[in-house]
Amino acid sequence: MDSLITTSIAALELLFSGDAELWTIIGVSFRVSLSAIAIAAIPALLLGFTLAMVQFPGRWALVAICNALMAVPTVVVGLTLYLVLSRSGPLGEWHLLFTQPAMVVGQVLLCFPVLVCMSHSAFQSVDKRAWETARTLGAPWHKALLTLVNEARFALLAALVAGFGRIISEVGCSMMVGGNILGYSRNIPTAIALETSKGEFAQGVALGMVLLLLALLLNFLLASVRGRGQQV
Amino acid sequence: MALRLEARQLVKRFGARELFRIPEFNLRAGESLYLQGENGVGKTTLMKILAGLDKPCDGSVRLLPARRRWWLSALDQKVIYLHQTPYVFAGSVADNIAYGLRYRGFDQQTIRQRVALGLRWSRLEALAEHDAVTLSGGEKQRMALARAWVLEPQLLLLDEPTANLDVDSVSLVADMVSGMVADGAAVIVSSHQKTALTRLCQRRLHLINGQLREVFSSTRQEQYGH
Ligand SMILES: Nc1ncnc2c1ncn2[C@@H]1O[C@H](COP(=O)(O)OP(=O)(O)O)[C@@H](O)[C@H]1O
Ligand SMILES: [Mg+2]
């Protein structure tokens, strides 16, 4: 108990003293995960839209595959990507292994199925008449799509938060393809794993606090946006 | 050139079931038509096909004068289909009425003016800034009509527009629609029962057993009478 309290105090001190190493790690995490979600969001949203609105053979198989991919452990994605990017792998010449771009690629792969599945169900829950009304009132189809995005904005925001939550906190893939290099590819989860294994808890707890705070913030944001939407 | 709608050899199937087969159907500018039929005969499906929102399994719908089409393009802007229960977009009543105007290349000033006209025409001025989902059924129907009216459609397809309305709303909606007919728009009104609105129509067609029959046509009678 005593050690928990002293560790927490040490963690707070680290956070508020502006410890350079700590904030570099936090910066890496955000840069990588925000890039990944920014890259994945629009293609995933378009795919989710297509799956919800267009009937084509194999549609349900694709939805099922996406659902299954959501549950794939991050280390498995990391291992696969490692094999592809390692020197003897098919993309070995790109020398991407143990770089931030490799981590971004891994996280894109991780959040993509989450975004597709959740935006698919978001678009599915929008009334079919919304699309027809937009079209018959003269909206070109890409504008009608934007209208649907607006109609489903709460569910789509929830999809983004869920996708971001999956990648900002994942250890397995970042560890395998990023290599946990201090100042470059060490992010919050890999740092927590490393520091804890070394028996130094203060930095781990400080980083854990950042993740916790982030989770709280995002969910408060979501709840407040939703709450305002319902005040009609 | 005035609008003409020509449908030929229309067939619609759902799976093995053939909903209807219509060898020929024509409509001209200024005509008002009552599409009669029991629930489930395919009135909604037929109207969506005529409006370009649905595709027939066979046959064609032609709208004249024709216009160029791109793969990215909008549907034909002369035609508007209105659902039995209108869909209300997120936003205010004024936002909803402005919706289609944003895709016609109008400037902000014109859009504001037309929205104001639409609000007055539908007697929704007092509710302009209200959240549109809070409107009553009759108000939503009037808003949907105004949303179409501001776009000056030449063909309006109204799917059971008065089915869910009280008597007062029905007569308001009937007035609004007859105003549009007087302005030269062609109108198709579907309904499974006669209403104040269907009585205004010059032509009556009955969709029954998968066939479309012309029951009555005052325009025809005038033609033959002369
Ligand atoms: N997408 C669809 N798939 C299968 N059946 C459909 C579809 N849309 C309509 N139907 C069927 O077609 C029939 C006619 O529907 P509808 O056009 O809505 O009739 P109405 O408007 O005259 O009441 C109904 O029996 C309905 O179940
Ligand atoms: Mg119907």
Side-chain angles (χ1 to χ4, degrees):
Chain A
M1 190 65 208
D2 220 27
S3 75
L4 188 62
I5 291 168
T6 47
T7 314
S8 301
I9 292 170
L12 284 172
E13 275 171 1
L14 262 181
L15 271 176
F16 287 105
S17 67
D19 183 71
E21 189 184 312
L22 188 82
W23 284 99
T24 310
I25 291 168
I26 295 171
V28 170
S29 249
F30 276 82
R31 192 170 326 122
V32 168
S33 295
L34 286 174
S35 309
I37 204 106
I39 292 167
I42 288 178
L45 195 127
L46 286 173
L47 185 55
F49 172 79
T50 310
L51 288 173
M53 302 294 288
V54 187
Q55 290 191 355
F56 56 90
R59 171 161 78 147
W60 292 112
L62 218 57
V63 173
I65 289 170
C66 269
N67 270 304
L69 287 178
M70 278 209 299
V72 171
T74 60
V75 276
V76 174
V77 174
L79 176 64
T80 313
L81 196 57
Y82 183 96
L83 293 175
V84 171
L85 295 179
S86 68
R87 204 168 292 166
S88 54
L91 300 182
E93 292 132 56
W94 293 13
H95 300 292
L96 279 179
L97 201 58
F98 304 138
T99 64
Q100 280 189 13
M103 295 166 77
V104 172
V105 172
Q107 297 199 351
V108 166
L109 295 176
L110 284 170
C111 69
F112 195 77
V114 178
L115 295 176
V116 172
C117 283
M118 289 190 68
S119 60
H120 167 241
S121 64
F123 283 121
Q124 236 183 357
S125 63
V126 176
D127 199 313
K128 186 162 171 271
R129 289 173 304 147
W131 175 259
E132 291 175 340
T133 306
R135 293 288 285 155
T136 198
L137 291 174
W141 77 261
H142 59 286
K143 298 284 189 185
L145 168 60
L146 285 182
T147 300
L148 289 207
V149 168
N150 187 47
E151 297 295 304
R153 62 197 178 281
F154 301 129
L156 290 174
L157 197 62
L160 284 180
V161 168
F164 191 68
R166 168 132 163 115
I167 57 179
I168 192 77
S169 60
E170 70 82 26
V171 194
C173 183
S174 296
M175 191 72 99
M176 297 196 73
V177 302
N180 198 20
I181 302 160
L182 179 61
Y184 180 52
S185 63
R186 181 171 301 175
N187 63 9
I188 298 176
T190 60
I192 293 178
L194 180 79
E195 295 304 307
T196 309
S197 70
K198 287 198 303 195
E200 286 166 27
F201 297 113
Q203 196 188 62
V205 172
L207 293 169
M209 284 173 175
V210 172
L211 284 185
L212 197 67
L213 196 69
L214 181 71
L216 277 174
L217 259 168
L218 284 176
N219 284 291
F220 267 118
L221 173 83
L222 207 58
S224 79
V225 170
R226 219 176 247 156
R228 231 175 296 140
Q230 280 163 357
Q231 273 170 23
V232 281
Chain B
M1 188 175 154
L3 167 126
R4 265 195 3 239
L5 181 86
E6 298 180 350
R8 295 286 178 274
Q9 308 298 338
L10 283 189
V11 180
K12 185 69 180 181
R13 287 178 225 100
F14 286 114
R17 173 179 165 223
E18 185 175 292
L19 195 56
F20 53 71
R21 179 178 287 270
I22 298 169
E24 186 179 352
F25 170 73
N26 298 306
L27 187 78
R28 294 165 173 281
E31 286 186 341
S32 53
L33 187 153
Y34 164 29
L35 177 62
Q36 185 186 0
E38 296 301 311
N39 280 321
V41 293
K43 301 184 296 297
T44 298
T45 309
L46 174 60
M47 290 174 93
K48 284 186 181 171
I49 289 174
L50 295 178
L53 288 171
D54 198 352
K55 296 257 177 297
C57 302
D58 237 318
S60 64
V61 177
R62 245 180 11 133
L63 203 62
L64 300 163
R67 44 155 219 149
R68 281 196 294 165
R69 296 203 57 151
W70 297 273
W71 71 276
L72 250 185
S73 72
L75 299 176
D76 201 303
Q77 304 201 322
K78 297 189 285 289
V79 181
I80 296 180
Y81 167 87
L82 273 79
H83 289 97
Q84 176 166 356
T85 41
Y87 185 82
V88 170
F89 293 119
S92 68
V93 174
D95 292 340
N96 267 273
I97 294 179
Y99 184 86
L101 292 169
R102 291 189 269 142
Y103 307 116
R104 310 268 159 138
F106 293 124
D107 58 65
Q108 287 302 319
Q109 169 110 26
T110 314
I111 291 180
R112 264 197 303 278
Q113 282 168 357
R114 288 214 180 192
V115 169
L117 286 176
L119 285 164
R120 187 167 342 134
W121 181 73
S122 55
R123 304 191 198 171
L124 291 170
E125 288 149 304
L127 301 170
E129 295 312 318
H130 280 232
D131 205 309
V133 293
T134 61
L135 296 184
S136 73
E139 288 162 348
K140 279 182 186 159
Q141 195 61 264
R142 271 147 60 201
M143 184 191 79
L145 273 171
R147 195 161 63 178
W149 180 80
V150 294
L151 301 172
E152 300 175 343
Q154 293 178 46
L155 169 57
L156 199 64
L157 298 125
L158 299 161
D159 198 349
E160 313 225 14
T162 54
N164 309 323
L165 304 187
D166 57 69
V167 184
D168 289 347
S169 299
V170 171
S171 67
L172 258 176
V173 166
D175 285 349
M176 292 166 79
V177 174
S178 55
M180 290 174 86
V181 174
D183 290 342
V187 174
I188 301 180
V189 182
S190 82
S191 180
H192 62 276
Q193 60 190 27
K194 289 187 185 166
T195 67
L197 194 52
T198 61
R199 272 190 280 277
L200 294 170
C201 295
Q202 310 158 324
R203 289 174 67 186
R204 184 154 60 124
L205 275 81
H206 198 171
L207 187 56
I208 185 167
N209 297 330
Q211 293 180 334
L212 190 64
R213 300 197 186 134
E214 184 115 27
V215 180
F216 171 79
S217 164
S218 64
T219 55
R220 280 284 150 81
Q221 282 175 346
E222 277 160 23
Q223 276 171 18
Y224 297 142
H226 284 291

